[in-house]
Amino acid sequence: MTVNLQAPNPAHILAVPGVRLGIAEAGVRKVGRKDLTVILLDEGSAVAGVFTQNRYCAAPVQVCREHLQQVTSAVDTQIRAMVINTGNANAGTGAKGLTDARATADALAALLKVKAQQVLPFSTGVIMENLPVDRIVAGLPAALADAQAAHWAKAAEGIMTTDTVPKAFSQQVVLSGQTVTITGISKGAGMIRPNMATMLGFLATDANIDPALLPALATDLANSSFNRITIDGDTSTNDSFMVMATRKAAHAVITDWQSADGQALRAALLSVAQQLAHAIVRDGEGATKFITIRVEGGKTSDECRLAAYAIAHSPLVKTAFFASDPNLGRILAAVGYAGIHDLDQDLIGLHLDDVCVVKNGGRNPDYQEADGQRVMKQSEITIRVHLGRGTAVDTVWTCDLSHDYVSINADYRS
């Protein structure tokens, strides 16, 4: 079940000049499913990434960080390929996990005749099981043989785990008269909590961006998209969000995000990143509702996020929304324990969509429970909280918590 989310139409997912993708069945965990994906980048491409902040991070995350650092320090060396397996996270696997992640990168590098540090490995799936490197290495030739520029939709399917639909979006923007393409894919449905989520995201463009701008861009995009979503409050061991610029477009190189082209490109990149992030929430395990939580009137954005996440992570709030039960005192309670120590409860306001529920910290005299229930029965809902403390605003996206979430996670390894 998804919330207003459909599988992408491959005809609408645009090829990015300088990127090819190949998919194969390697039998990583199950026979007969696409579970191995390679992404190949033309020479001259620039790559940057953002990874999980879970200190117990997976082996491929550690190797990706190492390789990106090595490439950044080297002269005339760029990331040329990525290899992604599903079914096995290669996390909690100790020194062997690192050896296996490096062996996967080494194998693809040998086939491509590039350096090992020019390959980034990614894994997603079950934690604390050894990676079947032999099956992955054996599947690489088939994945390479399958590599085509038009295979973004296939790759979106190839990186899925408990996702029910693949996630892929494209957009084009004109920069100085030149059409630039942006395409991205992501996966994730459970163990979703920002910094990052239990997700993989890959966003590519042929825009000619100064490589020095890419690391800050990746962080900026993540903070406004993937780091604003949560399903269950669990931070994964494997989260990775990669931004790739092949620099094939004929416009002048972008060296400043404040330029007209820079602003237009950043807006388009953020649009695709947010669509990918929202799709993860819409496909949240067992989700029936997509919920936007907007907290206004804070002294700082940080305290707005504290309140928003307290609401988004509350099992009581999430189960009430699943049941369409307007037991909305649960939202106020979550704001109260969010950690805003000098909060004045008499200034708090609360809206569900257009329905004013709370004024000046108490129930709005005009509020009718039937109005709250009407909103809660919708598949898309906005919770708007006003703290009455300042002008800061921040937004988080989440979903409800249903019976199916428990069932999916109870049966995850079956």
Side-chain angles (χ1 to χ4, degrees):
M1 180 182 295
T2 64
V3 183
N4 301 328
L5 178 67
Q6 296 180 341
N9 181 341
H12 298 159
I13 307 303
L14 306 175
V16 176
V19 182
R20 293 179 297 131
L21 307 95
I23 303 88
E25 296 178 5
V28 173
R29 184 169 182 82
K30 296 180 180 179
V31 176
R33 68 166 291 175
K34 299 178 179 70
D35 56 8
L36 181 63
T37 301
V38 295
I39 300 176
L40 308 178
L41 300 171
D42 281 2
E43 191 171 358
S45 299
V47 175
V50 178
F51 300 93
T52 183
Q53 293 186 26
N54 190 323
R55 296 295 298 169
Y56 199 79
C57 60
V61 169
Q62 298 176 60
V63 173
C64 280
R65 285 173 171 156
E66 290 173 3
H67 287 190
L68 283 169
Q69 181 60 45
Q70 290 168 359
V71 166
T72 301
S73 304
V75 178
D76 297 327
T77 303
Q78 304 97 20
I79 299 298
R80 295 296 306 279
M82 302 176 189
V83 53
I84 310 134
N85 75 268
T86 65
N88 185 307
N90 193 10
T93 47
K96 178 170 172 43
L98 287 169
T99 298
D100 291 344
R102 292 189 177 109
T104 302
D106 290 348
L108 182 55
L111 291 170
L112 296 174
K113 295 180 172 54
V114 299
K115 298 175 182 178
Q117 62 263 37
Q118 292 180 278
V119 177
L120 302 180
F122 303 86
S123 298
T124 180
V126 177
I127 295 172
M128 221 167 68
E129 292 186 3
N130 290 329
L131 192 70
V133 178
D134 54 342
R135 293 179 224 161
I136 292 172
V137 171
L140 286 174
L144 290 176
D146 184 65
Q148 295 185 29
H151 278 179
W152 281 97
K154 284 183 63 178
E157 182 180 351
I159 64 175
M160 292 167 58
T161 50
T162 59
D163 309 61
T164 64
V165 296
K167 301 164 180 68
F169 297 93
S170 287
Q171 189 165 320
Q172 290 186 317
V173 61
V174 177
L175 305 180
S176 299
Q178 301 293 318
T179 299
V180 166
T181 300
I182 302 162
T183 294
I185 58 175
S186 65
K187 64 79 49 181
M191 199 184 277
I192 297 286
R193 200 272 188 232
N195 300 320
M196 302 244 326
T198 183
M199 55 142 286
L200 299 177
F202 302 93
L203 183 66
T205 179
D206 60 333
N208 188 2
I209 305 171
D210 182 345
L213 297 184
L214 229 59
L217 173 66
T219 299
D220 181 34
L221 294 176
N223 283 341
S224 298
S225 58
F226 296 107
N227 281 347
R228 291 294 180 272
I229 62 173
T230 181
I231 288 175
D232 48 22
D234 274 328
T235 299
S236 169
T237 54
N238 292 62
D239 311 334
S240 305
F241 170 55
M242 308 305 300
V243 178
M244 301 162 270
T246 63
R247 310 179 69 207
K248 296 283 189 180
H251 63 84
V253 61
I254 292 176
T255 58
D256 180 7
W257 293 116
Q258 299 306 312
S259 66
D261 280 355
Q263 291 184 37
L265 177 61
R266 183 194 173 280
L269 288 164
L270 180 57
S271 174
V272 176
Q274 287 187 339
Q275 289 179 80
L276 291 168
H278 290 181
I280 289 172
V281 175
R282 293 181 185 280
D283 195 24
E285 291 171 345
T288 69
K289 292 170 185 175
F290 179 83
I291 304 169
T292 299
I293 304 172
R294 177 181 169 89
V295 178
E296 307 168 346
K299 288 183 180 179
T300 65
S301 293
D302 286 345
E303 69 178 29
C304 290
R305 285 195 299 277
L306 278 176
Y309 286 137
I311 297 166
H313 292 152
S314 167
L316 293 177
V317 171
K318 294 164 82 70
T319 50
F321 274 84
F322 170 65
S324 301
D325 174 20
N327 191 355
L328 301 175
R330 294 176 174 183
I331 296 175
L332 299 178
V335 173
Y337 65 62
I340 305 172
H341 299 296
D342 57 344
L343 183 67
D344 185 345
Q345 68 184 52
D346 292 335
L347 299 179
I348 293 175
L350 169 64
H351 281 75
L352 285 186
D353 280 6
D354 60 336
V355 176
C356 179
V357 179
V358 173
K359 283 184 177 181
N360 300 321
R363 179 174 176 139
N364 173 18
D366 297 327
Y367 170 67
Q368 299 294 321
E369 185 162 307
D371 293 330
Q373 190 169 59
R374 167 179 57 81
V375 175
M376 293 182 77
K377 287 181 177 179
Q378 299 170 180
S379 61
E380 305 208 19
I381 303 162
T382 297
I383 299 171
R384 184 160 55 90
V385 175
H386 200 287
L387 299 178
R389 296 162 54 78
T391 59
V393 178
D394 217 319
T395 301
V396 167
W397 296 280
T398 191
C399 60
D400 57 340
L401 188 61
S402 72
H403 304 295
D404 285 346
Y405 177 86
V406 176
S407 298
I408 290 167
N409 282 282
D411 297 336
Y412 182 69
R413 297 201 306 164
S414 343

